Amino acid sequence: MVKNEEWYFDQKGKRFDGRGQFEQRPINLKVGVIDRADGSAYVEWGQNKAVAAVYGPREMLPKHMANPNKATIRYFYRMAPFSVPDRKNPKPGRREIEISKVSGEALSRAAELEQFPNTAIDVFVTILDANAGTRITALLAASLALADAGIPMKDLVSGTSVGKAGGKLISDLSKHEEDAPDAVDLPIAMLPNSDEVVLMQMDGPLTEKEFNEILEVARKSCKEIKDMQVKVLKERFKDDFNGD
Amino acid sequence: MVKNEEWYFDQKGKRFDGRGQFEQRPINLKVGVIDRADGSAYVEWGQNKAVAAVYGPREMLPKHMANPNKATIRYFYRMAPFSVPDRKNPKPGRREIEISKVSGEALSRAAELEQFPNTAIDVFVTILDANAGTRITALLAASLALADAGIPMKDLVSGTSVGKAGGKLISDLSKHEEDAPDAVDLPIAMLPNSDEVVLMQMDGPLTEKEFNEILEVARKSCKEIKDMQVKVLKERFKDDFNGD
Amino acid sequence: MVKNEEWYFDQKGKRFDGRGQFEQRPINLKVGVIDRADGSAYVEWGQNKAVAAVYGPREMLPKHMANPNKATIRYFYRMAPFSVPDRKNPKPGRREIEISKVSGEALSRAAELEQFPNTAIDVFVTILDANAGTRITALLAASLALADAGIPMKDLVSGTSVGKAGGKLISDLSKHEEDAPDAVDLPIAMLPNSDEVVLMQMDGPLTEKEFNEILEVARKSCKEIKDMQVKVLKERFKDDFNGD
Amino acid sequence: MVIKMKEHFYEAEMVKQEIAENKRLSKRGFLDTRDISMELNTLLNADGSCIFTYGKTKIIAGVKILIDKPYPDNPDEGSISIGIELSPMSDPSFGTGPPDETSIELSRVVDRALRESKGIDWKKLCIKEGKFVWMVYVDMYIMNNDGNLFDACEYAALAAMKNARFPKIELTEDTCTIVKGEYENKVVEFTNDPLLFTFVKIDDKIILDPELVEEAASNARFSIAITNDKKMVAIQKGAEGSFKIDEIKDIVSIALKNYDVVHKKLMNAMKKK
Amino acid sequence: MVIKMKEHFYEAEMVKQEIAENKRLSKRGFLDTRDISMELNTLLNADGSCIFTYGKTKIIAGVKILIDKPYPDNPDEGSISIGIELSPMSDPSFGTGPPDETSIELSRVVDRALRESKGIDWKKLCIKEGKFVWMVYVDMYIMNNDGNLFDACEYAALAAMKNARFPKIELTEDTCTIVKGEYENKVVEFTNDPLLFTFVKIDDKIILDPELVEEAASNARFSIAITNDKKMVAIQKGAEGSFKIDEIKDIVSIALKNYDVVHKKLMNAMKKK
Amino acid sequence: MVIKMKEHFYEAEMVKQEIAENKRLSKRGFLDTRDISMELNTLLNADGSCIFTYGKTKIIAGVKILIDKPYPDNPDEGSISIGIELSPMSDPSFGTGPPDETSIELSRVVDRALRESKGIDWKKLCIKEGKFVWMVYVDMYIMNNDGNLFDACEYAALAAMKNARFPKIELTEDTCTIVKGEYENKVVEFTNDPLLFTFVKIDDKIILDPELVEEAASNARFSIAITNDKKMVAIQKGAEGSFKIDEIKDIVSIALKNYDVVHKKLMNAMKKK
């Protein structure tokens, strides 16, 4: 890694890692990676690596937390101590708790929770390697694991990050770009079918014009990523799909 | 604030802040300050500021903590991080836990808890600004909030602090006096009607004679303060009182 | 205490503290030392001092932890802050938790737990003074306390430590020997009647030959110590034994 | 915060009916914000304080400005810390115990709105490079929760910080100590006054600055922080509902339009006291 | 400590009947204290220890004297720390887990009785001003609880400290380390021997030094610490009952009268061993 | 780990029947170990990593090598730290929350197997005596639990450490900092490759390297660590059952005989990638 190289675009408009302005890092999806889980998935997004497991619907304990109208998704986003340049304390921090909350809410919109009142659906995601964009990497894995577990879903949750670095709008910031002085990071998750945004966070200054422009980029990316998710699930359930 | 001024009485016998030997700081009582609480109160005592809220009687959770013979008062005395010269760690410390215990016991004597078996009455008091005497400031607020919540009470809990500084017995020590080398602080709470002491703590040396003398000062102060409490409750329930 | 004296055997083959190669430190057993416990015992083993108390069989709380087929032994091995050369943090550490687990498992083998389904048998052991060998000192005390509580047992749990220091196999390492560069510590607990090993741990290198040799020493010691345990229990229940 | 409370079920139904008829129970327009008032620096042990009311929502914010060691990465920068306690005092649905995910989200969103604005110059919080920097702690208590804690806390924190005084210090080569009870003639400078705007969605309608019953009736939340140069500096979408892309664009545009109105309200309330 | 235990309900009723007839189950007078005995310094890893019995109540107190940094406010003063574990070993009503309010109150009252006496000169616990001071840790375990843990723990802590030896140290300009296993010929000096006296009220009678069943029958507790110059140095009223002002005056007067008797008991027990 | 799981009750019964007929469900011999494979250093933020599979049991081990201060007792020695999270991800019987006694035992046994081998020279982990040493953190996650986590974690930790690179540092008189992203050409040296061998007892039969259902059918566990010079370096007997002295002697002898086989498996798997 070259340190302190504060440039973000070369003369040909290529980014630090050679990507084009709205080019995403390579994404690699895998479903069914943990035998004992009800559903599981593994996602690589550039250097980011996330494993997700789903257990449930199962009994909610303690019982007084159960919702009589629907299942409750409990989402645990955790970073392995070795997943970041400095060793992370294994105890979950406030950042992990916040990300778990908004990610669980995003998934809740997608799943048909009303079919399983009083139960819990536990979603565990561990980040093994991190380089900007882990919450979305995690959420893609979680969404695939949920589908793998056979939980009925209105739509898959798809997502990406967009933002800005070195004066230009870009897709899918790397850590290098996230550390730019003018960096804006805008993770977003959608249900592409219905054009619904189920997760959005943003750090750093954007004008309205920039925001509206980058939002359209994100919308398009989410659709593309969803196609990749569908493809991998189809392979997983090949027999079922063929059987139809 | 003038530092390290180690005097406690001037030539006219006035104290550092101009008060007479047994003169208390101004007290300001207000009832019904938190809309969503069952009862609430705000007390200023000199610089001390306490807000109290009462919730209950309500279901005791966890259930095995419930007392089948009466309601249980749970008292939470807490100091805001910004309420003291040094920032206080937001986590409750051992001092706060001890004060909560003896204050809750004091209130329990006053309230007709037998009328509400198996329930909890939760009393939350937060100190916003502190200058010696906060546990009694808190207890006055709690007692008013309990009355405001309509909990039947044998008597209002009233209280004050007495003690010694600069060689003389005094009422209502300020922080400056509490830091005197010979300081004695004696917080006391009473049910004035029945002359019952429900809270008493003391730090620092007193002779029996001094103790007996200062106790009578405290007894008188408690009665006076109770009159103030009654007055503010009467105003709060003006219509009810008039209606009788 | 003489510091840094790195010898383990003198010219006559005596150890640092004057003991012979397979000689144990003096052991002193006492049963029935805590009035309010269902059973209790006190064991001194050299400088080691352990007090054990047993409560139960009693209701298991929380209930969902109860085993419908048998009683559950919960073992709490704790070191007093003043029991070691440096002050120990009063909060139980990972070492104490591991020792509690394997010791509780050892006791579980001895006790007729099937007679008391759904209950808990709580075993509390506190080390007051420590000088190598506390887990076995604790387990002897716990075993006696269990018998004192009248819990039916297949056999008493007896135990000892064996190992190596200064190049030779030895019994019952002292702290001085435990700190030897080639130290091996092998705590072991048995049900001597049935020749069953219920606890064994080991740190440090041994050859198979050494291991087999020292194991026989341990087997013999366990039998001897069990005789001491039986003796003290007989005295405790003299009338019962005589009555037979 | 979308709070699910049984006691609000009936009221929430009423809210929905009114909203369906394009009305709010409070008679406010969908995009109107409530009145703001405050009492500044009434807490004497705090280095700054603000007792803040937004409609009937009431926040107490206290500031302590302490000396700290800088992070090795940023040896000449101080920082801020935002803590919000959802005291069980102010709302029966809040528990005792350590901060839960609800209060963590709230604290972090308020923190980001203030921090990402870059309106504080961290270097101005440096006392001595590599050795001593200022750490500005803002602790907040909810005294009454009538909805929209996000915006209320952010405004309260901003007002409290802008009026907080720096303690006087004694600085030597190796030590730096606060002179208790004495202050410098200097406050925390915030150059671009970031303001948070929180919207909720009730059925398919979007309203600004929800009250508690409106939150109970809603299923999605959107918060956006805007600075005085009309930049968006932080966003948080919350709760289990969703927004369409076009709804989000509308929200942003409304928030930008509302900035000046709310900023003026806030500045006026600040001047009064 | 007023412990509510079902198993003591019947006994508590008997206590009340006896008390009503001005008798105690133990045949003691209302204001008599129990016998004291102790074993000193039998725990070799402790810098001082006291296995203390007060009637059938039994406490193990261990002292560790460690090197610490002084507080900036008091650069030339050491301190003490009192920790009492209500071990579930000695009483089925005590739980495992971190100290609860009962053990916190107990520890803090014992701490105040010792600390507020000013019988220890904190400056004598200074090793090197601004750098190193002694911290005297007294940790106690209840080995048997037959009532009046307040007084028993306070006496045990006092006896243990008065007989604890200071470790030998090696001191350089910047370092201070304990030489393990070696001691100075110096103990913790307590000049005025504060003693705690705890009373409980059963119906309208007041008794000194309650046993466990008497505590179960009582509804109010009063503890007062007295020094050898007959000054009161600490008070704690506990439990849900109350005392009249005149009852409190009586209690104080009785405690003062009992000081010499109990002090002699304690000193005699200390000498024996 | 002997896990009592209802879902495994039926399978456990089948295991017992097979075992009684001297067969294993997996067709393995009683003393055969499963296949080993691994992917090394695929995690880029770790200083070393090993995704390890032992049959269907799968472990992810990540190494971070950090600068730390040495203990005063050993000013020229570094150390290792082994942390194993029984993530609820991989097994529905694992909980969230802090490590429980099961994961503490597992971590400590793996730690002892590695540490007591004395195969790492702690002095080689010294950067500057009295000031800076290396601390090697190995954190492991269970990705799939098909039994014998003890051996799988120990093998994974060993492989991860042996392939972990030391970060490049900048060292001055008083400071030592890691140069992020750059490495020395140096790995953690382990001279004697300690391997753990875990047996369980099912009725009166003893088998090596149990699968999960075999653990469910068993009632006693025995783990022994062996080094390449055929020394035993650590033992842990676990679970509520027992072993006869002679059974233990047999186990030791079998483990010693199996060392070379398993060591070769492990080294081969290490080379492949």
Side-chain angles (χ1 to χ4, degrees), chain C residues 179-201:
Chain C
D179 291 344
D182 69 339
V184 178
D185 185 30
L186 193 158
I188 178 171
M190 298 188 68
L191 307 186
N193 275 357
S194 47
D195 194 44
E196 289 176 81
V197 175
V198 289
L199 178 146
M200 183 182 285
Q201 298 183 290

Side-chain angles (χ1 to χ4, degrees), chain F residues 14-73:
Chain F
M14 280 183 55
V15 166
K16 286 184 183 188
Q17 284 178 26
E18 293 278 304
I19 291 283
E21 300 170 21
N22 291 317
K23 290 189 283 187
R24 285 174 92 159
L25 284 178
S26 61
K27 316 285 181 204
R28 277 195 281 153
F30 276 17
L31 306 175
D32 293 345
T33 55
R34 289 173 288 178
D35 290 338
I36 288 172
S37 68
M38 67 179 77
E39 294 175 53
L40 287 168
N41 293 339
T42 53
L43 305 180
L44 305 187
N45 276 316
D47 299 325
S49 70
C50 179
I51 299 177
F52 183 89
T53 55
Y54 197 28
K56 292 204 287 186
T57 288
K58 186 171 186 176
I59 310 294
I60 297 187
V63 179
K64 288 298 252 189
I65 307 183
L66 305 185
I67 299 161
D68 210 337
K69 283 188 187 157
Y71 285 99
D73 304 3

Side-chain angles (χ1 to χ4, degrees), chain B residues 12-60:
Chain B
K12 292 177 180 174
K14 290 286 174 196
R15 289 154 70 180
F16 191 82
D17 56 7
R19 281 187 284 157
Q21 188 178 3
F22 296 127
E23 187 180 343
Q24 313 214 55
R25 291 172 285 182
I27 295 170
N28 183 12
L29 310 171
K30 225 158 131 181
V31 179
V33 297
I34 298 178
D35 286 11
R36 308 196 61 211
D38 295 319
S40 63
Y42 173 75
V43 172
E44 280 183 15
W45 181 313
Q47 183 189 338
N48 295 311
K49 296 175 190 70
V51 194
V54 166
Y55 290 87
R58 61 183 178 184
E59 189 185 8
M60 170 67 96

Side-chain angles (χ1 to χ4, degrees), chain A residues 70 94-95 97-98 101-102 105 108-109 181 190 194-208 211-212 215-216 219, chain D residues 101-102 104-105 107-108 112 116 118 219 221-222 231-240 242-246 248-249 252-253 256:
Chain A
K70 58 177 190 168
R94 291 165 64 91
R95 176 182 167 276
I97 293 172
E98 185 198 351
K101 181 175 192 288
V102 294
E105 289 166 350
S108 297
R109 178 66 182 175
M190 296 188 69
S194 47
D195 194 44
E196 289 175 81
V197 175
V198 289
L199 177 146
M200 182 181 286
Q201 298 183 290
M202 190 185 80
D203 285 350
L206 275 192
T207 63
E208 184 177 10
F211 179 74
N212 288 347
L215 219 49
E216 292 303 329
R219 173 162 24 189
Chain D
E101 55 169 31
T102 307
I104 287 173
E105 185 192 15
S107 303
R108 284 178 57 87
R112 281 204 294 272
E116 295 297 332
K118 288 159 185 140
N219 76 338
R221 172 173 36 76
F222 201 94
K231 293 260 176 74
M232 310 157 55
V233 294
I235 284 176
Q236 180 89 339
K237 182 261 155 189
E240 296 188 359
S242 67
F243 294 92
K244 305 266 175 183
I245 290 276
D246 292 342
I248 290 173
K249 289 179 182 173
V252 166
S253 150
L256 285 163

Side-chain angles (χ1 to χ4, degrees), chain E residues 100-113:
Chain E
D100 68 351
E101 56 168 30
T102 307
S103 70
I104 287 173
E105 185 191 16
L106 175 57
S107 303
R108 285 178 57 88
V109 170
V110 170
D111 181 286
R112 283 204 294 271

Side-chain angles (χ1 to χ4, degrees), chain A residues 153-156 158 190-196 222-223 226-227 230, chain D residues 244:
Chain A
M153 291 167 81
K154 300 183 188 78
D155 193 4
L156 285 170
S158 184
M190 296 188 69
L191 307 186
N193 274 358
S194 47
D195 194 44
E196 289 175 81
C222 283
K223 283 208 163 65
K226 193 191 144 188
D227 292 341
V230 169
Chain D
K244 305 266 175 183

Side-chain angles (χ1 to χ4, degrees), chain C residues 70 98 101 196-197 216, chain F residues 105 108 240 242-243 249:
Chain C
K70 57 176 190 169
E98 184 198 352
K101 180 174 191 291
E196 289 176 81
V197 175
E216 292 303 328
Chain F
E105 185 192 15
R108 284 178 58 86
E240 297 189 358
S242 66
F243 294 91
K249 289 180 183 172

Side-chain angles (χ1 to χ4, degrees), chain C residues 33 54 76 152 171 212 236 240 242:
Chain C
V33 297
V54 167
F76 301 86
S171 283
N212 288 346
R236 166 83 170 161
D240 303 5
N242 292 346

